[in-house]
Amino acid sequence: MTAVDLAPYLETCRRRVDRQLDRVLPPEGAFPDVLHRAMRYSTLAGGKRVRAALAIASAEACGRDDDAVLPAAAALELIHAYSLIHDDLPAMDDDDIRRGRPTNHKVFGEAMAILAGDALLTLAFHVLADDGLNPNLGAPDRIRVIQEIGRAAGHGGLVGGQAVDVASEGLHADMAVLEYIHTHKTGALIRAAVRAGAIVGGAGETDFEAFSGFGEKVGLAFQIADDLLDVEGDPAVMGKSVGGDNRKQKQTYPRLLGLVESRGLAKELVEKAIEDIDRFGGRAGPLRSMARFIVERKR
């Protein structure tokens, strides 16, 4: 099936989403300026914008290529930025470097980093609900997107996965617990990105289920790939330290299954995910390329 040259596609998505993020984030000099600088510092720090790109590509696979998906794409990146700020805190993973520069709390202090994360999370839902930012998306679909992303970000998704991750440090590796952590902490927001794009694109019930299956498998593969990079990755390329999962005795696929089997499982998930979207033909080329990129990436 058709794929695309992914680098220019991701760059186009990144530019579109970064313009939207710059538009919705408070100006750096607006009072309280330290909070706003902290919010912008982490959100506009770069990154691949994979979640946003998945939402855009899903909408395109449904035949919708206007800007209606951009508020959802931006909201996903705001939530992702908040989660990274909180994840890096001393009470969580205690990381000093993110994307090649000091983490938010190292620059602005722990209290302001927590507040910046809180503000980004709440801003995401303002962006999704705002009439002026969503002129081309009707209220029913907007509500569905808000519910989808809210579910993925909260106790039944990202936060729940993080809670189990923290509670499981140092314990004997267990597959059921490991799957829960990965499908919730990382997989839920990736699945929500794909599903949100499909909602904006007007997917019918059968197509929506196909997108859901794709997002679920790709989300799990993404976290397995992250586990592998924490063992095998180059810190200079990744822009952050590696080996933290092992030091904290976190529940990971390499710890439970080993490197070879983990790598094989990630590739198997991606191939099955691609089968889920066969029905969309060439329109799903970017989704196929992103799925394969997820297990081949170096950072």
Side-chain angles (χ1 to χ4, degrees), residues 265-279:
L265 178 58
K267 290 180 179 178
E268 180 184 346
L269 284 164
V270 163
E271 293 309 315
K272 288 182 177 178
I274 290 171
E275 290 176 10
D276 285 336
I277 55 171
D278 277 348
R279 64 193 300 121

Side-chain angles (χ1 to χ4, degrees), residues 97-119:
I97 302 294
R98 170 73 66 177
R99 291 171 176 164
R101 62 181 190 167
T103 47
N104 198 289
H105 69 275
K106 299 301 289 186
V107 176
F108 298 98
E110 291 180 36
M112 196 57 62
I114 292 169
L115 292 171
D118 292 344

Side-chain angles (χ1 to χ4, degrees), residues 194-273:
V194 175
R195 284 163 61 103
I199 292 168
V200 174
E205 185 176 345
T206 302
D207 287 348
F208 188 71
E209 288 307 311
F211 283 113
S212 299
F214 172 86
E216 186 172 321
K217 295 177 184 70
V218 164
L220 181 53
F222 189 98
Q223 185 55 54
I224 295 172
D226 259 10
D227 286 354
L228 289 164
L229 285 171
D230 192 69
V231 178
E232 304 176 310
D234 182 347
V237 174
M238 294 175 64
K240 62 179 182 179
S241 61
V242 299
D245 290 346
N246 185 57
R247 287 193 297 273
K248 298 179 182 72
Q249 292 188 294
K250 283 183 171 285
Q251 304 276 348
T252 70
Y253 273 83
R255 182 183 174 200
L256 187 60
L257 301 180
L259 294 174
V260 174
E261 192 168 343
S262 297
R263 198 176 297 112
L265 178 58
K267 290 180 179 178
E268 180 184 346
L269 284 164
V270 163
E271 293 309 315
K272 288 182 177 178

Side-chain angles (χ1 to χ4, degrees), residues 172-187:
H172 177 72
D174 176 270
M175 180 58 78
V177 171
L178 178 59
E179 282 193 11
Y180 183 94
I181 292 169
H182 280 28
T183 56
H184 289 72
K185 181 180 176 181
T186 301

Side-chain angles (χ1 to χ4, degrees), residues 74-113:
L76 288 159
E77 292 299 330
L78 291 169
I79 292 170
H80 182 52
Y82 125 76
S83 72
L84 296 182
I85 292 173
H86 284 194
D87 205 38
D88 289 336
L89 288 166
M92 295 289 187
D93 285 352
D94 195 14
D95 283 323
D96 295 342
I97 302 294
R98 170 73 66 177
R99 291 171 176 164
R101 62 181 190 167
T103 47
N104 198 289
H105 69 275
K106 299 301 289 186
V107 176
F108 298 98
E110 291 180 36
M112 196 57 62

Side-chain angles (χ1 to χ4, degrees), residues 66-171:
D66 62 7
D67 288 344
V69 73
L70 288 183
L76 288 159
E77 292 299 330
L78 291 169
I79 292 170
H80 182 52
Y82 125 76
S83 72
L84 296 182
I85 292 173
H86 284 194
D87 205 38
D88 289 336
L89 288 166
M92 295 289 187
D93 285 352
D94 195 14
D95 283 323
D96 295 342
I97 302 294
R98 170 73 66 177
R99 291 171 176 164
R101 62 181 190 167
T103 47
N104 198 289
H105 69 275
K106 299 301 289 186
V107 176
F108 298 98
E110 291 180 36
M112 196 57 62
I114 292 169
L115 292 171
D118 292 344
L120 289 170
L121 176 61
T122 50
L123 176 60
F125 290 96
H126 170 80
V127 169
L128 291 170
D130 188 270
D131 287 335
L133 293 172
N134 294 273
N136 300 315
L137 189 63
D141 283 340
R142 208 184 313 165
I143 290 169
R144 284 184 67 197
V145 171
I146 291 169
Q147 289 175 326
E148 188 67 48
I149 294 177
R151 187 184 306 116
H155 72 277
L158 189 158
V159 175
Q162 179 75 352
V164 177
D165 187 25
V166 170
S168 301
E169 287 182 10
L171 301 181

